[in-house]
Amino acid sequence: MRRLLIVGNWKMHLNASQASLLVHRLQERIKIRRNIEVVLAPSMLVLQPLSLQIDRRKFRLASQNAYFHDEGAFTGEVSFTMLRELVHYGIVGHSERRHVFSEDLPMIRDKVAAAIRNEITPILCIGETKHERDEGETKQVLHDQLMTALSNLTAHEAGSIVIAYEPVWAIGHVAAKPSLIQTAVDYVRGYVRDVFNEKAAKNLRVLYGGDVAPEVVQGILSVPGVDGFLVGRSSLNYETFAGIVESAHRWQRGVPDGTPQRQAPGGTWPRDNEAGKEGE
Ligand code: PGA
């Protein structure tokens, strides 16, 4: 059975005492699960105290961002080198970094390389905006994001990273339909297979992100090739985040959720016969 990866991205929320309280509550709720790896990505400020607080059998830490140089005169930045004792993972290229902080493709490529150089596993975020999807550019956007970000990697390195498919229009709004996630995840693995090799495509972990809540977990995990989630808002509420982990655990054990899966606008959800209808 493949190990699932569930990452909570707390974004710019929670001060030190709030973060500590959330970890405390999560530790009460979330059990040690051999087949689920749970990762917390708090603000840079609290990585250090949380690294002392977390039960390492239950949680690992991720940074939300870091700079690509290892050290130097870069006021306000923190490097992956400084984080290497604290985090296992580093989120790179989140759409908020790309769009709010104007991170371009070469910068994201350099951040992926810097994370790997410092033995931190990058969680590379890719995904199209609503405009790009409406214009039928999704495949091209994913291609360009992957091509640049992975361009300096060996096949072994490419197979060891995590890629989170996060359609920008879904973040904070509505989870994408499984059929659409399937198309994107197949594309990502196909790209890695073509450019690197079969082994890298198989080893690579691919997450989905964008409005993940307990109600959509099992439907999305049923998409072949999805290895877990990158969760934003729902990771700030301990009951909801623990609910996501529990639902994933039940799915692994073949136990369906009692509650019906949420309906997405535009049709019954899940609906798996729509792949390829996204205008690409
Ligand atoms: P969301 O955010 O779960 O709040 O949609 C996901 C993300 O930005 O990673």
Side-chain angles (χ1 to χ4, degrees), residues 130-163:
K130 176 158 188 333
H131 177 74
E132 289 161 344
R133 173 157 288 276
D134 291 346
E135 294 296 308
E137 294 168 358
T138 302
K139 212 169 267 180
Q140 189 61 44
V141 169
L142 298 186
H143 174 269
D144 294 350
Q145 291 175 344
L146 288 170
M147 186 182 70
T148 319
L150 308 184
S151 58
N152 291 338
L153 305 190
T154 63
H156 176 74
E157 287 168 342
S160 72
I161 74 167
V162 179
I163 295 183

Side-chain angles (χ1 to χ4, degrees), residues 22-31 53-56 58-59:
L22 179 55
V23 165
H24 177 73
R25 295 254 187 269
L26 289 173
Q27 281 183 166
E28 285 177 340
R29 295 267 165 154
I30 292 179
K31 301 194 177 76
Q53 186 186 347
I54 53 167
D55 180 339
R56 285 160 192 254
K58 294 184 179 178
F59 302 110

Side-chain angles (χ1 to χ4, degrees), residues 212-215 231 233-245:
V212 173
E215 301 79 33
V231 185
R233 203 175 22 173
S234 293
S235 69
L236 292 167
N237 178 302
Y238 65 92
E239 285 183 327
T240 314
F241 193 60
I244 289 170
V245 176

Side-chain angles (χ1 to χ4, degrees), residues 4-5 9 48 63 75 81 109 119 123 135 206 239 242 273:
L4 298 177
L5 175 61
N9 174 11
Q48 176 86 49
S63 55
T75 302
T81 313
R109 174 199 62 206
E119 294 173 352
I123 300 172
E135 294 296 308
V206 182
E239 285 183 327
N273 58 356

